[in-house]
Amino acid sequence: MGVMGIAEIMDRAVNIFKKRIGYFALFSLISGGIFIVLYYLITTPFSLLLLSFSEIWGLLLFIAVLFLILMIFAFSYAIGIMEIIRQDIFFNKLSVASAIASVFKNIPKTIAIVIINCILFFPLIAVYIFFLYYFDVVLSENIIIDLVTMDALYIIIFVILCLLGNIIFVAFMGFTLFCLFVVVEENCGIIDALNKALWLIKNEIFKILWSLTVIEMTVFSIYLSLISFSLIISGIIIAICMSFFKLNELMTTLLVLPLSLLNWSLSQITFLIIGILAIIMACLLCYNQKFKKEGYDIIIRLTQLENRKRSVKQ
């Protein structure tokens, strides 16, 4: 295992996923149940507390806190996946229990890193929101521009703003994952993790951002392809049934409902799978930076040999 290109990272990520799919599935099932319980335990009393606020401020505060909770849950889940990957890379005995233990052990660090990164990225997000508002107001109130030109400007600006928004999102998610990777891999503190993550991406920010964007586009394309295929199959089934059988309105509804439920279930499973793949790819990208910057692949090889000797002796 040495320095890899983006194609090698993706290929190795798929191999790890196929090899350890049982561990990923079990971890996802257990952690998902825990997160759902914690989500309702946190948001229910908080929602009741917000009733004392005014309608607008209460709603904004609820959205902000909800976003923060979901981010913390998502990154905590990523820590568990990283722990399983780390065990696999070092040829350690795989344990879902240790992955869950790593999640709970690092929850304070996860919360701190997510909050710090939200603060760091807030000026950039605020400027982006300002541009969204500014261009919407300017174009909607500008009566000099004819409708055709206005529509063209709307499309161009909409595409540019979508691209900028995606870049900000990828940068935030990527840098946070780098920080948490350092926490899992080196068991260090919050400030050390932030400094080490900055050092890992130093002088290669645009290359890493591009790699993360390629990963995002790849997994999103896979997701859309699978969902589209599922919807097409459902449409074909409905068309065949309506062509060969005289279905009334009730029978058509009874046919559509289970198919809709099946498509929803498949979309959730597919989303979970591509989410795990994305985390594995991002994690391997982090390892790749450590290989480049500090020759970490040599340390991994030596550790693998040592673990193999231990397993042979046992």
Side-chain angles (χ1 to χ4, degrees):
M1 189 174 184
V3 177
M4 300 172 285
I6 187 65
E8 292 175 279
I9 288 174
M10 291 182 178
D11 184 58
R12 186 169 179 83
V14 173
N15 289 334
I16 291 175
F17 177 79
K18 289 191 295 184
K19 186 168 64 171
R20 305 302 180 189
I21 186 170
Y23 291 94
F24 291 130
L26 182 59
F27 170 76
S28 300
L29 186 64
I30 296 172
S31 61
I34 294 171
F35 288 157
I36 289 172
V37 172
L38 289 176
Y39 172 79
Y40 284 107
L41 287 176
I42 295 170
T43 56
T44 302
F46 186 75
S47 302
L48 297 175
L49 179 63
L50 288 179
L51 294 176
S52 59
F53 290 83
S54 63
E55 185 176 344
I56 298 297
W57 286 110
L59 180 61
L60 291 175
L61 186 59
F62 179 77
I63 292 173
V65 173
L66 181 62
F67 171 79
L68 190 62
I69 291 172
L70 292 176
M71 284 293 101
I72 291 168
F73 283 175
F75 286 119
S76 296
Y77 177 78
I79 283 178
I81 299 296
M82 288 179 183
E83 177 63 26
I84 295 174
I85 297 167
R86 191 185 69 80
Q87 293 172 4
D88 180 78
I89 287 175
F90 282 97
F91 291 164
N92 292 333
K93 184 179 179 181
L94 292 182
S95 171
V96 173
S98 64
I100 295 172
S102 179
V103 170
F104 282 99
K105 173 188 172 183
N106 291 304
I107 277 180
K109 294 178 183 178
T110 304
I111 294 172
I113 288 172
V114 169
I115 292 174
I116 290 171
N117 285 347
C118 284
I119 294 171
L120 290 175
F121 278 84
F122 179 76
L124 198 60
I125 296 171
V127 171
Y128 177 72
I129 293 173
F130 169 77
F131 275 112
L132 279 177
Y133 174 77
Y134 176 78
F135 282 118
D136 181 64
V137 170
V138 167
L139 290 179
S140 61
E141 294 183 355
N142 196 332
I143 58 175
I144 300 174
I145 301 176
D146 59 89
L147 291 176
V148 176
T149 306
M150 184 180 292
D151 288 342
L153 281 175
Y154 260 120
I155 293 171
I156 293 170
I157 292 171
F158 176 76
V159 171
I160 292 172
L161 290 176
C162 284
L163 291 174
L164 288 175
N166 186 65
I167 290 171
I168 295 171
F169 173 77
V170 170
F172 171 78
M173 298 293 286
F175 182 65
T176 306
L177 282 172
F178 263 84
C179 294
L180 295 176
F181 167 79
V182 175
V183 167
V184 172
E185 192 65 28
E186 302 185 7
N187 194 26
C188 60
I190 298 164
I191 302 302
D192 290 336
L194 290 166
N195 290 331
K196 186 63 177 286
L198 285 171
W199 180 75
L200 286 174
I201 66 175
K202 187 179 179 181
N203 300 327
E204 292 191 79
I205 293 176
F206 292 108
K207 186 176 180 180
I208 293 170
L209 192 61
W210 170 249
S211 298
L212 289 169
T213 304
V214 170
I215 290 171
E216 178 202 34
M217 292 170 61
T218 302
V219 296
F220 187 66
S221 299
I222 294 171
Y223 177 74
L224 285 182
S225 299
L226 293 174
I227 294 303
S228 300
F229 179 75
S230 173
L231 291 174
I232 290 170
I233 295 299
S234 298
I236 292 173
I237 292 172
I238 293 172
I240 290 173
C241 290
M242 294 185 70
S243 299
F244 288 93
F245 306 100
K246 293 182 179 180
L247 301 179
N248 55 29
E249 187 175 342
L250 178 60
M251 293 299 295
T252 304
T253 303
L254 291 175
L255 176 64
V256 170
L257 281 177
L259 286 174
S260 300
L261 181 60
L262 179 62
N263 282 326
W264 180 84
S265 302
L266 288 174
S267 69
Q268 299 305 305
I269 295 171
T270 305
F271 183 78
L272 178 63
I273 291 171
I274 64 113
I276 294 172
L277 278 173
I279 294 170
I280 298 173
M281 291 176 188
C283 185
L284 291 179
L285 182 63
C286 296
Y287 273 113
N288 208 43
Q289 287 305 113
K290 282 179 73 70
F291 297 164
K292 291 180 182 178
K293 292 290 184 77
E294 52 189 42
Y296 196 59
D297 51 329
I298 298 173
I299 298 173
I300 288 178
R301 287 173 186 173
L302 292 174
T303 307
Q304 287 174 344
L305 289 172
E306 186 179 345
N307 289 338
R308 280 179 177 175
K309 288 179 181 178
R310 288 177 182 176
S311 62
V312 170
K313 288 179 180 179
Q314 291 174 356

